[in-house]
Every structure is written in C-alpha cells, then in structure tokens.
Amino acid sequence: MENITSFGVLAGVLGLVVLLAVLSNRISTRVLVPAPAFFLVAAAVAVELVPSLGHALSIEMVQRVVTVALVVILFDGGMHIGRDRFRQAAGAIVWVGVAGTFATAGAVAGCAHLLFGLDWRMASLLGAALAPTDPAVVFSVLGRREVTGRSGVLLEGESGANDPVGIALLVALLTASGAGLHLLATGLLEFVLQMAVGAVVGVAGGLALEFFVRRFRLPNEGLYPLRTLACAFLLYGVATAGHGSGFLAVFVAGIVVGGIRAPYQREVERFHGSLASLGEIVAFTVLGLTVSLRTLPDGHAWQIGLVLAVLLALVVRPLLVGALLLPVRLRRGERFFVLWSGLKGAVPILLGTFILSSGLPGTTRVYDIVLVVVVFSVVVQGGLVPWVARRAGVPMRRTEPRPWTLGVRLRDEPRGVHHHTVVEGASADGARLDEIDLGDRGWFSIVRRDGHLLPVRDDTVLRAGDDVIAHTDPDEDVDPGPLFTGRD
C-alpha cells in the first residue's frame, strides 16, 4: 500500500511539472526568455537545495533521455520545414550547416587554446560542443511571431542541420585515436561516414515512410501519429546501427515527409509539434540535474565561458558564418538577424555530458564553460532577438491561436484540390479571383485572411498571407501552385 501511495505522489508531481511546462510558455512570451531556460535554471537550483536530486539520474540515463527528446525535436523540425520550404534555401542550409559548424568549432577551439591555455584535444572538444545552434530556443523567444522569408527557413534549416553535424563531429573526435594528423584523419573519416550513412538512411527512409503513410490505412485515427513516431525512431536506430548519424537521418526524413498529402496529416503534424515542445522542456530539465553551481568558480570556468559567449556572439559568428553567408541572397537586415539569432540550446549541453563522461582530465571545467555559454546565449542573446528583428526590418507575422475548425472528412483522397498561401510578389498577390486561371472548370471554395473567412466572389482581391483552397478538374493538367507561390 505504501508503494502505491509513493507512486501516486510521483505521478502527481510529474503532472504538476508538465502543467507548469505548458503554462511557462505564457511567461516566456512576456519576459522574452525561452521557457526551457526556466527549467534548466530551476533544476540546477533544485540540485543545490536537495543534493540527492543530482544522483537521481546517471549521466548515461540523462544522455538517453535527451537523445529521445532530440529525435522527436529534429523530426518535427524537418516536418515543419518540409520539401517546398527546404528547396528555397537548400544549398545555403547545407553549406552553412556543415561549413559553419566546422568554422565555429575551429574558431572556438583556437580561442580556448590561445587565450585560456586548454590543450588542443580538450579545446577541440569544447569547440565541437559549442558549434551547433538551436531552432527551438529561437522560436520560443519569438513566441507567436513567425519569421517569414528566406531568413526564417535558413535559421530553422541551419539549426536542424548543424545539430547532427556537431554531434557527429564530437563523437568522431572522442572516438578517434592517435595524435596530430593521424587523429585529424581518423576523426574526419568517422565524421564523413556518419554523415553519409545518416543522409542515405534519411532520404530512403523518408521516401519509404511517405509510401507507407499514403498506402497503408489504419483502423483508428489516433494510430497515425504513433506510426510516424515509431518510424522516426526506427530510422534513428537503423542509421545508428550502421555507424551513421541517426539525428541526421530523422531530420532528413522529416523534411522528405513534411507537407505531403497523406491521411490525417494535420493531426500528425500537431501531435509531433506538441511532443517536440515537451521534449525540449524535458531535455533542459534533466540536463539541469547534471549542473553543479558550486563548481562554476573552479578554474575560472564562468569567466572563460562568459568571454567565449561574447566572442561567439560578436566576433566568431558575425565574421566566419557571415563570410559563408555572402553568396546567399539575403537583405542586409535579414543577414544581421540570422547571424545574431544563432542561439545555443540543449545540444551543446548534451555534447558537454559526452565530454564529461569521456574520462579525460579537466572535463568538469569544460562542462561548466559550456553551461555558461548556453545560459548567456539563451538569456542575453535570446532576450534581444525580437528587438534585433524589429531593428533589422525582418518580416514577421503574429500567429494567433485558431481553436475553431471547419471541414469535412472524406474516405478517399480528394483529387484536384489545392491549398496554398499567397506569397508576396506572386501573380495572385493583388489579383481578383476572376483574374486567376484555374482552367475551364476550376473554382475557389475558401479564402481565409487573418483567421477570418472572406466571401468568395469574382471581385474579391487576394493579398499576401491569404490562405486559399482552389479546385481544378482532375482530368485537366492544371497546376495553380506557381500562381500563389511565385515559383515555377
């Protein structure tokens, strides 16, 4: 009976924590600090007040919990980008995600070695840990404001791409043996293998998942999100077992299946979005349990972390990543916004735990440095992101909750139905409905603007941001997409 009572108390505490996690998003939109940061700091303070909490989870268990959370977060991030948005900046995302990670890691390693005397191996591990950025932290800061244009796609894509790259780079450095050029060659070979296997598994698995979700029906709509979740973890396992990057595999697979026409696709996307938000909070909370505030003064860890954080924000990323962005077509304000908004999050701390459990000397000091850099990035840089966006003139739109839906369920996939959002500068932007060619037997059924339905009349004028549902004759070869998106 006592065990049942203890379990009931534990279940109640967990429920309270999840409830606070949900409500914390309202606080974060007011103070402009991402909600997960509250849980990181709260968990660290709780460990100081109740030291036994620090031993509740081993480092290995924390790594596993955060790995599960990252699989969910990266798969959802890939789905949110989707194929169409990824194509807008595919080259820039891959270029900045890979080259930017290496450039940042190298610069941080050089600063740590030359300025603070860390040996090259430990400095390289620190650089690899601090290279990735975190999209969830960025958009938690923005709250209900969505970044539009290429800068938003580039930020999400870069963060999703450099997380697997940074993890693979650190794992390659930890597993590489030898010294000097031999260590570099071994680490590079391991990194290339992880990236190649992860990309292949991601593309092939994403295409297989698309076929699977479109062709195989399930008896209950609640099973559809669980199916995609199970497939995401299956792809992670396959890629990891093949010595590849499982994180890259799930991110690429999410891009492949993002935005496809499939049964219950909206429900699947909402499920993964909610799970990713919870996963981010869980990751920060369990990582906070590994923090020891008492060790921050040891070896001047907090001073070194603060200096590296400032150098990352004001020197390293603007100069190195800024140089990599020169070939990318961005306005000056968008370029500045992307460079400032490369925030650190859960991945650097996770990589810090890998360093901590490596058995190398001086790992506690390096882990404390990583923690200070992340806190500075989230609180200081993150708090200034909305102000920087306004000053840089980056287009953002406020996304209000839409609790009411209007629709019908169909047994078979509707043919000739097209759902598009009017893009600024497209042919449909500023055009009347009767001026838009949908073929001889095409028509509009729904036009939505700012969450409200507009009357569907010939003289109704569309403008950027409008959501439209258009119908064309399935037997006619008519694709109205370019009229609304501006892409051929």
Side-chain angles (χ1 to χ4, degrees):
M1 190 68 182
E2 183 178 345
N3 291 335
I4 296 178
T5 303
S6 300
F7 178 77
V9 172
L10 177 61
V13 171
L14 289 175
L16 178 61
V17 169
V18 173
L19 180 62
L20 291 175
V22 174
L23 296 178
S24 66
N25 288 287
R26 294 183 61 87
I27 301 174
S28 66
T29 57
R30 294 180 180 273
V31 299
L32 303 181
V33 174
F38 292 119
F39 289 85
L40 175 69
V41 175
V45 172
V47 169
E48 293 300 315
L49 297 177
V50 186
S52 60
L53 290 176
H55 306 289
L57 296 175
S58 65
I59 290 293
E60 183 179 0
M61 182 59 67
V62 168
Q63 292 169 352
R64 290 177 178 177
V65 171
V66 178
T67 296
V68 170
L70 282 178
V71 169
V72 174
I73 291 168
L74 287 172
F75 186 72
D76 174 69
M79 290 184 65
H80 186 259
I81 295 173
R83 294 184 196 177
D84 292 339
R85 295 182 69 215
F86 180 75
R87 290 192 188 103
Q88 297 178 25
I93 289 172
V94 175
W95 169 242
V96 177
V98 177
T101 303
F102 273 88
T104 303
V108 172
C111 292
H113 176 74
L114 298 175
L115 297 179
F116 305 110
L118 273 71
D119 65 85
W120 274 115
R121 183 174 180 84
M122 196 57 65
S124 299
L125 293 174
L126 178 61
L130 292 176
T133 58
D134 193 329
V137 172
V138 174
F139 295 104
S140 179
V141 170
L142 294 174
R144 293 185 304 207
R145 289 160 292 189
E146 181 179 286
V147 180
T148 59
R150 284 173 62 86
S151 58
V153 178
L154 184 56
L155 259 182
E156 291 181 73
E158 179 205 2
S159 300
N162 66 23
D163 281 355
V165 172
I167 294 171
L169 177 60
L170 184 86
V171 171
L173 291 173
L174 285 173
T175 56
S177 58
L181 293 177
H182 184 267
L183 174 65
L184 179 63
T186 306
L188 184 61
L189 181 62
E190 177 68 22
F191 172 80
V192 172
L193 176 64
Q194 289 200 43
M195 290 292 99
V197 173
V200 170
V201 172
V203 174
L207 294 175
L209 178 57
E210 178 184 2
F211 176 81
F212 188 36
V213 299
R214 286 177 59 86
R215 300 298 181 184
F216 291 86
R217 302 295 177 92
L218 297 175
N220 189 300
E221 65 182 80
L223 296 176
Y224 284 82
L226 296 179
R227 178 174 64 179
T228 56
L229 180 65
C231 288
F233 280 99
L234 174 62
L235 293 179
Y236 173 81
V238 170
T240 303
H243 301 285
S245 171
F247 296 108
L248 181 62
V250 296
F251 180 64
V252 171
I255 292 176
V256 173
V257 301
I260 63 172
R261 292 170 64 93
Y264 302 104
Q265 184 67 10
R266 284 292 179 87
E267 287 79 0
V268 170
E269 291 173 353
R270 281 197 291 265
F271 171 82
H272 282 280
S274 301
L275 203 59
S277 298
L278 182 60
E280 183 78 8
I281 291 171
V282 169
F284 269 86
T285 301
V286 297
L287 287 171
L289 295 177
T290 66
V291 175
S292 176
L293 298 179
R294 298 177 184 178
T295 62
L296 289 179
D298 297 345
H300 305 288
W302 75 267
Q303 294 97 326
I304 296 174
L306 189 58
V307 172
L308 287 179
V310 173
L311 288 175
L312 267 170
L314 301 181
V315 180
V316 173
R317 185 169 172 86
L319 290 182
L320 298 183
V321 180
L324 296 174
L325 282 175
L326 288 177
V328 181
R329 182 168 48 86
L330 290 171
R331 292 187 299 102
R332 181 180 299 178
E334 290 179 319
R335 197 179 305 275
F336 177 67
F337 176 73
V338 169
L339 293 174
W340 178 262
S341 302
L343 307 181
K344 310 303 174 185
V347 173
I349 305 180
L350 171 65
L351 297 183
T353 65
F354 290 156
I355 299 173
L356 192 62
S357 59
S358 65
L360 297 172
T363 55
T364 301
R365 182 189 185 199
V366 171
Y367 185 68
D368 290 341
I369 292 171
V370 171
L371 176 69
V372 173
V373 173
V374 170
V375 171
F376 176 89
S377 180
V378 172
V379 177
V380 179
Q381 273 186 270
L384 292 174
V385 163
W387 179 82
V388 170
R390 288 194 300 271
R391 297 290 297 178
V394 172
M396 290 192 301
R397 63 182 182 185
R398 193 171 185 85
T399 56
E400 297 293 343
R402 296 169 180 172
W404 305 104
T405 60
L406 178 64
V408 294
R409 293 284 188 187
L410 303 175
R411 187 186 64 184
D412 300 315
E413 179 183 355
R415 299 175 58 212
V417 180
H418 309 270
H419 178 203
H420 294 286
T421 300
V422 180
V423 175
E424 185 176 0
S427 300
D429 185 13
R432 291 162 43 114
L433 292 185
D434 59 358
E435 296 173 342
I436 300 175
D437 183 16
L438 297 179
D440 294 336
R441 288 179 286 183
W443 79 96
F444 290 93
S445 61
I446 292 178
V447 178
R448 184 181 64 182
R449 177 178 300 162
D450 298 330
H452 301 285
L453 295 177
L454 298 183
V456 182
R457 299 193 300 255
D458 290 344
D459 60 350
T460 298
V461 178
L462 297 179
R463 68 185 189 199
D466 289 352
D467 290 320
V468 299
I469 294 182
H471 303 258
T472 60
D473 191 333
D475 297 326
E476 295 181 1
D477 187 17
V478 177
D479 179 16
L483 299 175
F484 306 101
T485 63
R487 297 191 299 271
D488 296 328

